[in-house]
Amino acid sequence: WVDCEIFKPKERSLPPRLGPSVLYVGRLVKEKNLEALTSAVTSLDGIVNLVCLGEGPLRVELERLGVECLGPREWNTLPSWYRNADVFALPSLSEGHPKALTEAMACGLPCVVSDAVTEGGDAVIRVAPENLAEGLKLALGLNGSWYGNKARAHAVQHWDVRTLMPREIRYLKEAAR
């Protein structure tokens, strides 16, 4: 679930960077396929910034490649990070139900995910790892806001805590009988 009242679109609270930014939130580990994401961002003529929030063994290597790795952040600051990004990317080689994706979608951020990510339905731009750059171009292009609106609607419909919690409580009560 995601609290769609906390994670929601708002105006940017920080001035825009010198170029568009792609945000990744999560562990900095091999299975998240961050090398491919770095390569895809780099291929976009150096005008796009990649910002990673999280910690892990790949941090030093990613920073060496020019990625802005800012370490873990408090949960209550995450909505502003999503709102100040242009695209959220999750290029994982394998994935369960990624909390960061639900939060990014609830904030109305266009989301580019690998084809290993099964969540998000048709509200995300799903690409094979070798096509990450094309997915990022699409999300950063003229249709980016359309994808962001679609992501927000999907998050509200499928994951909003105000919808899910009453259902789960009802299921638990029925199971306890």
Side-chain angles (χ1 to χ4, degrees):
W1 58 266
V2 64
D3 188 330
C4 289
E5 290 301 313
I6 294 173
F7 290 86
K8 64 183 177 182
K10 283 188 181 176
E11 292 297 315
R12 287 180 180 234
S13 58
L14 297 173
R17 296 171 182 268
L18 293 176
S21 64
V22 174
L23 178 67
Y24 166 83
V25 177
R27 296 177 300 124
L28 307 180
V29 294
K30 284 273 186 210
E31 56 266 20
K32 298 300 182 175
N33 203 20
L34 298 172
E35 294 93 342
L37 179 58
T38 302
S39 177
V41 168
T42 302
S43 77
L44 300 176
D45 298 326
I47 60 166
V48 178
N49 302 297
L50 176 56
V51 177
C52 292
L53 303 182
E55 194 58 69
L58 292 182
R59 183 173 180 166
V60 171
E61 176 63 18
L62 292 168
E63 289 175 332
R64 188 186 67 71
L65 294 171
V67 177
E68 193 173 353
C69 295
L70 301 175
R73 292 291 185 249
E74 295 285 331
W75 178 81
N76 62 341
T77 69
L78 290 177
S80 102
W81 284 99
Y82 292 119
R83 291 179 197 126
N84 286 295
D86 296 290
V87 173
F88 175 78
L90 187 63
S92 301
L93 298 172
S94 65
E95 195 64 64
H97 180 73
K99 184 73 169 169
L101 178 62
T102 64
E103 294 167 346
M105 291 177 73
C107 286
L109 200 52
C111 298
V112 177
V113 302
S114 70
D115 49 13
V117 178
T118 60
E119 296 295 334
D122 65 354
V124 297
I125 300 168
R126 194 174 320 279
V127 296
E130 63 273 13
N131 295 327
L132 278 169
E134 287 78 19
L136 293 173
K137 284 180 195 173
L138 185 59
L140 290 164
L142 296 176
N143 290 331
S145 62
W146 181 82
Y147 281 107
N149 291 336
K150 194 169 183 177
R152 169 70 181 173
H154 185 90
V156 169
Q157 179 181 0
H158 295 283
W159 301 315
D160 184 46
V161 67
R162 284 156 194 78
T163 303
L164 289 181
M165 283 299 173
R167 273 193 240 154
E168 289 198 22
I169 291 169
R170 191 172 54 249
Y171 294 146
L172 290 171
K173 285 180 178 178
E174 288 173 11
R177 292 183 193 172

